[in-house]
Amino acid sequence: PIPLPNPLDGSASAPQVAAGLNGNVFAAWEHSDAIGAHRVIAARYIAADGWPAGWRTPVILEPGVAQRNPAIAGTPDGVAIVAWENGAIGEIWSGWLAPDGGWSTATRVSGDGEEARNPKLAVDAWGRATAVWKKTPTITARAARFDPDAGWNAETLFRTTTNQVGTISLAAAPSGRMIMLWSEAVTLYDRICVTSFFPNTDTGGRWDDAGIVDTANPGAGETAQSPSMAVDPAGNVFVVWSQTVSGTTTNWASLCR
């Protein structure tokens, strides 16, 4: 093991990692210093140069001092995409590293108003990325799409609820479909929800209505939490979660096609 160097004095936390098909690896993390400034830093590993010499010098993605919660994904052709929270009021920003090694100028992805937090990223086989995040004080889930040739499009609202949206997961199926899984806190219980984005070259695509994955019975005091998922090469979505019934918690699984 080796420590990844920080270009600034201070502490590093929240590391994220993604790999490209060419064996190159990308990492991003949050940096904090003694005066409370937070920045997002990223580095890449060139597989052809071997371990550990392949790690390149980390870079600061944006000079602001209130950047947190990075997410990172790699495209098949070697582009790394990073999204993070930027600003005290919460905005989602992004930067990407092209195969030639140059980082883009940071770009705001979320729209005006409301506080945007906790971005998640996934990339399909064509290099198109999707970012999802939560916005408050109204509880909404929003998304934007990144095309390697055109950059980010405008954000899309696809979920409005009076409930608290919890942990979000995002994954890409081989067809290009994006699957989003999350927990949603309702009064006295939690549910596990899922939705999909279906891309379309003419219209850009659409998000499905949200569905419920778990079998918990809220009327009996049952609740479901801590979802996780994986997508196989055929596009099947396997979901696992914890479900509490009569004070006993067991792990459950579901296959979503």
Side-chain angles (χ1 to χ4, degrees):
I2 63 165
L4 293 176
N6 268 326
L8 300 169
D9 292 333
S11 300
S13 62
Q16 303 291 309
V17 68
L21 293 181
N22 56 4
N24 294 343
V25 174
F26 313 98
W29 60 91
E30 184 178 324
H31 173 275
S32 59
D33 62 23
I35 63 172
H38 290 258
R39 297 175 176 87
V40 169
I41 293 173
R44 67 171 178 160
Y45 170 77
I46 307 299
D49 291 345
W51 184 273
W55 281 106
R56 296 298 186 259
T57 301
V59 299
I60 303 168
L61 296 186
E62 206 275 336
V65 295
Q67 305 168 60
R68 297 175 181 269
N69 295 331
I72 191 167
T75 71
D77 60 354
V79 174
I81 305 168
V82 185
W84 65 90
E85 294 175 19
N86 190 323
I89 63 171
E91 298 170 341
I92 304 303
W93 284 61
S94 175
W96 54 93
L97 174 68
D100 64 8
W103 282 95
S104 71
T105 301
T107 301
R108 190 176 75 173
V109 179
S110 60
D112 293 330
E114 300 190 332
E115 184 177 319
R117 300 291 186 192
N118 300 115
K120 303 294 181 183
L121 276 175
V123 175
D124 67 21
W126 294 269
R128 299 171 301 201
T130 298
V132 298
W133 61 89
K134 298 181 289 185
K135 265 196 168 183
T136 57
T138 59
I139 306 301
T140 63
R142 309 225 176 195
R145 295 273 286 172
F146 173 87
D147 184 282
D149 297 322
W152 288 100
N153 68 1
E155 71 172 10
T156 300
L157 167 67
F158 67 92
R159 177 68 169 167
T160 300
T161 175
T162 58
N163 304 323
Q164 179 66 48
V165 175
T167 302
I168 294 175
S169 300
L170 184 69
S175 64
R177 176 171 64 115
M178 290 287 172
I179 304 97
M180 178 180 164
L181 179 76
W182 70 97
S183 61
E184 193 165 298
V186 188
T187 304
L188 300 180
Y189 66 95
D190 288 356
R191 304 306 305 263
I192 308 301
C193 303
V194 66
T195 187
S196 291
F197 176 86
F198 295 89
N200 183 289
T201 54
D202 295 324
T203 64
R206 63 175 175 82
W207 285 95
D208 250 1
D209 293 335
I212 302 297
V213 177
D214 64 84
T215 61
N217 179 3
E222 301 173 7
T223 189
Q225 297 175 315
S226 305
S228 183
M229 69 173 165
V231 183
D232 72 11
N236 298 310
V237 183
F238 296 85
V239 181
V240 295
W241 68 94
S242 294
Q243 189 163 307
T244 302
V245 177
S246 301
T248 299
T249 300
T250 55
N251 291 329
W252 288 61
S254 180
L255 172 59
C256 305
R257 300 183 187 275

